[in-house]
Amino acid sequence: MSPAVVLDSLGPLIGALRASGHTVVGPVARDGVIRLTELVPGPDDGPTAGRADEQAPGSYRLRDDGRGLVFGHAAGPDSIKRWTHPPRSELFRMRGGVVERTPVEAPKVALLGVRACDLAALAVQDRVFLGGRHPDEAYRARREALFLVAVNCAVPGGTCFCASLGTGPRVTSGHDVVLTELTGPHRFLAEPGGERGAALLAGLPSRPATAADLEAAREVSERAARRMGRRVDPDGVKERLAARRDSPVWDEIGSRCLTCANCTMVCPTCFCVTVEDGTGLADGTAVRTERWDSCFALEFTELGGAPVRSSGGARYRQWLSHKFSTWADQFGTLGCVGCGRCVTWCPAGIDLTEELERLR
């Protein structure tokens, strides 16, 4: 493996990714949050710098970080699944009784600023979409078109708990390049994760990393791990949830849950979909579309025309039990990576780390 190098700025890296045909997507402050969106060449090219976030159950706020850091914030609402498993995609059209399969759109995309928790989630989704008897070829095409520039978290959010699940904050696998943002002076330690990353870094203006650079990067990750806002004890959680199936806690949570599905929309591992058929009034073309679905929807699971889980408590139990119990039976791992998005973006402020403690 090529050695680590130090970059003075991200401009040459972004330029090299564009020159190799990638659309570069990175963190940008927009609509009051940090979104992952295309970085467009121009006066405002590059990720937003100098913005930090404050996350708590049901709360997200941006503020100036006072240091001008590029990655001085935790994960926002977007995860990698938006590019590998898009919210809506057309499957086929039927015109005059003839089926026309819709080509898969898999443009070359470089994601800049991917976190360790999201790489862990991507590994989970790889098992779901590619590990069974019927691999999803559309997912495979989008997955293979990605170039992943990860970043070691320096500032975890108040709802993060990846350290307790062993999925972060330091990036260990699944990336092409990993960056660590360092200060005094401001610079980026860049380490390749494979041949593609090494080839990219070899063409950039850089200097060899020193022992001091490597030590500073290690301290960034250790400090981030100590500052996690939440934690979950994974030992025995699978068995505990199975044993508490009839607990009254579920109904109490259901009395607060709005069943809005926000948690499943922002979750980087949730993968459920449904299909919709529509017919154009102008030309009579029928279109079948796949879109994200949620186990919090009343009609998600029906039996004999009636919902299987009619209460909010039953649907929350299904979701949490799947993440921390039955997922392990299906895929050999937990379905949660500790990103904390479901806690931050729950409008009722339901905190799964607290609920898991109540269900002990």
Side-chain angles (χ1 to χ4, degrees), residues 165-213:
L165 294 184
T167 55
R170 187 168 182 80
V171 172
T172 57
S173 63
H175 57 288
D176 292 300
V177 172
V178 58
L179 304 172
T180 306
E181 189 170 19
L182 303 174
T183 57
H186 186 242
R187 62 204 188 280
F188 299 91
L189 178 74
E191 300 169 88
E195 293 182 0
R196 296 199 308 172
L200 176 74
L201 294 180
L204 300 181
S206 65
R207 58 183 181 277
T210 66
D213 295 321

Side-chain angles (χ1 to χ4, degrees), residues 5-358:
V5 298
V6 173
L7 310 176
D8 290 329
S9 72
L10 297 180
L13 184 147
I14 294 171
L17 289 169
R18 286 184 181 136
S20 62
H22 290 88
T23 296
V24 183
V25 171
V28 172
R30 177 174 296 176
D31 301 327
V33 300
I34 299 292
R35 301 298 307 266
L36 287 179
T37 189
E38 181 180 354
L39 305 181
V40 181
D44 297 324
D45 193 10
T48 299
R51 303 294 280 169
D53 56 18
E54 296 176 355
Q55 299 192 37
S59 175
Y60 182 103
R61 296 288 184 276
L62 283 182
R63 60 173 174 78
D64 291 336
D65 75 348
R67 297 188 293 169
L69 296 178
V70 176
F71 301 111
H73 49 78
D78 299 313
S79 65
I80 301 175
K81 84 171 182 181
R82 184 169 292 278
W83 285 269
T84 55
H85 179 48
R88 181 177 290 272
S89 57
E90 182 178 305
L91 299 179
F92 64 81
R93 289 174 173 258
M94 180 173 286
R95 205 187 314 264
V98 178
V99 175
E100 302 172 0
R101 191 161 296 279
T102 304
V104 175
E105 294 183 3
K108 294 175 66 175
V109 174
L111 294 178
L112 174 63
V114 174
R115 307 306 172 109
C117 57
D118 283 330
L119 291 173
L122 185 63
V124 170
Q125 292 227 317
D126 285 350
R127 292 190 192 96
V128 173
F129 288 107
L130 302 177
R133 290 184 297 168
H134 305 287
D136 187 323
E137 297 304 326
Y139 176 91
R140 188 194 306 277
R142 299 185 189 107
R143 174 76 169 87
E144 292 178 350
L146 291 182
F147 191 99
L148 299 171
V149 181
V151 63
N152 286 316
C153 271
V155 186
T159 57
C160 291
F161 52 98
C162 66
S164 59
L165 294 184
T167 55
R170 187 168 182 80
V171 172
T172 57
S173 63
H175 57 288
D176 292 300
V177 172
V178 58
L179 304 172
T180 306
E181 189 170 19
L182 303 174
T183 57
H186 186 242
R187 62 204 188 280
F188 299 91
L189 178 74
E191 300 169 88
E195 293 182 0
R196 296 199 308 172
L200 176 74
L201 294 180
L204 300 181
S206 65
R207 58 183 181 277
T210 66
D213 295 321
L214 297 173
E215 175 62 17
R218 186 185 62 79
E219 290 177 357
V220 165
S221 294
E222 290 184 353
R223 189 163 54 245
R226 292 193 299 268
R227 296 172 60 187
M228 287 283 141
R230 297 285 190 281
R231 74 176 305 278
V232 163
D233 178 7
D235 290 341
V237 66
K238 174 180 180 292
E239 293 76 15
R240 289 202 304 272
L241 284 180
R244 300 300 303 276
R245 175 177 174 77
D246 297 323
S247 170
V249 171
W250 298 116
D251 286 336
E252 191 285 321
I253 300 172
S255 70
R256 292 178 281 133
C257 177
L258 305 177
T259 64
C260 66
N262 260 17
C263 50
T264 56
M265 297 298 106
V266 296
C267 175
T269 65
C270 278
F271 58 85
C272 289
V273 295
T274 188
V275 294
E276 294 177 338
D277 293 332
T279 303
L281 296 178
D283 60 1
T285 300
V287 178
R288 173 160 290 183
T289 303
E290 179 185 89
R291 67 163 175 81
W292 289 355
D293 200 0
S294 171
C295 53
F296 282 91
L298 185 62
E299 66 277 13
F300 179 77
T301 307
E302 293 182 332
L303 188 63
V308 173
R309 304 179 191 94
S310 58
S311 71
R315 279 171 263 165
Y316 190 88
R317 180 181 62 194
Q318 155 66 22
W319 176 73
L320 193 66
S321 297
H322 195 201
K323 292 292 182 192
F324 285 92
S325 186
T326 54
W327 200 300
D329 295 328
Q330 284 181 282
F331 304 111
T333 183
L334 296 182
C336 177
V337 294
C339 68
R341 290 185 175 95
C342 61
V343 182
T344 298
W345 298 100
C346 173
I350 296 174
D351 182 344
L352 74 79
T353 66
E354 293 183 356
E355 307 307 343
L356 285 172
E357 283 299 307
R358 295 175 66 205

